[in-house]
Amino acid sequence: MGKMFEQIQEAHMDFINQQKMFFVATAGDDTSVNLSPKGMDSFRVIDAYKVVWLNLTGSGNETAAHLLENNRMTIMFCAFEGNPLILRLYGTAKALYKGDEKWNNYIKIFGNPIGARQIFEVAIQRVQTSCGFGVPLYQYDQQRTLLPQWAEKKGPDGINEYWEKKNMQTIDGKPTGMKT
């Protein structure tokens, strides 16, 4: 059975730090629910009540748009190796952009990769664990290098052009609040 916690526990932090990927779910008031896989060493636990994750350039920008209407976010980690466990972080989030006061503090912990689009700061309201007995075992090979290679090839100007074409509006036609 699942267990609920009011904050991230030390054992949760250890589990999170071992994971190679996580999933993020958001929805606007009248939009499609968005569920996205994330990887590439883009997640950090700041403390028991706050996490941040780096959002790199992608084909859509649903999460940022959803937060403009509804700031709820769920983040899920699954153990694909070792002991089974599912860990969900429930909270409220905000998007930070280059030029925002907190951006420089957070981007340093991610190494400031080219194509860094937003950093999402999430205030944790609840943590839930469950068994994960039904999650299959997978053997981790490596992170893909295609996204950083693509971003390097495009360069900063090319990334900004891409954002203007692909990241200003969602699949539901909502503005994303994207800053270029």
Side-chain angles (χ1 to χ4, degrees):
M1 293 300 291
K3 294 182 181 176
M4 296 293 219
F5 304 86
E6 293 181 8
Q7 66 186 45
I8 301 170
Q9 307 292 306
E10 192 71 35
H12 301 151
M13 289 183 209
D14 292 342
F15 175 74
I16 289 168
N17 289 334
Q18 293 172 23
Q19 302 314 301
K20 310 295 190 284
M21 68 180 298
F22 60 99
F23 300 86
V24 175
T26 57
D29 294 334
D30 63 349
T31 66
S32 303
V33 174
N34 187 58
L35 176 62
S36 293
K38 305 292 178 185
M40 300 180 62
D41 192 30
S42 60
F43 193 91
R44 298 290 187 278
V45 176
I46 302 303
D47 60 39
Y49 295 98
K50 188 188 310 179
V51 300
V52 294
W53 62 273
L54 174 65
N55 196 25
L56 297 164
T57 299
S59 57
N61 199 7
E62 309 303 299
T63 303
H66 291 167
L67 294 182
L68 294 174
E69 293 183 1
N70 184 329
N71 66 351
R72 294 177 304 149
M73 181 180 286
T74 300
I75 301 167
M76 184 180 76
F77 295 88
C78 295
F80 294 110
E81 300 175 312
N83 294 329
L85 181 65
I86 297 170
L87 180 116
R88 291 179 183 88
L89 304 174
Y90 299 93
T92 56
K94 62 182 172 183
L96 304 172
Y97 295 91
K98 292 176 187 170
D100 289 345
E101 186 178 323
K102 294 181 179 180
W103 176 269
N104 287 336
N105 292 332
Y106 288 141
I107 196 64
K108 287 186 265 187
I109 63 176
F110 296 110
N112 199 16
I114 199 163
R117 186 169 58 179
Q118 296 108 351
I119 296 172
F120 292 102
E121 181 183 62
V122 186
I124 302 303
Q125 298 170 322
R126 181 175 62 217
V127 177
Q128 178 194 29
T129 60
S130 55
C131 67
F133 290 173
V135 175
L137 289 169
Y138 288 99
Q139 187 172 356
Y140 176 74
D141 185 23
Q142 64 185 355
Q143 291 287 345
R144 296 178 194 267
T145 59
L146 296 172
L147 184 59
Q149 290 170 352
W150 174 87
E152 286 289 333
K153 186 175 178 182
K154 280 225 172 273
D157 291 340
I159 294 288
N160 281 335
E161 288 174 24
Y162 183 86
W163 288 345
E164 288 176 15
K165 289 180 187 174
K166 302 279 189 177
N167 289 174
M168 300 306 213
Q169 198 172 40
T170 69
I171 60 173
D172 295 311
K174 301 280 186 165
T176 66
M178 183 71 199
K179 300 175 184 179
T180 58

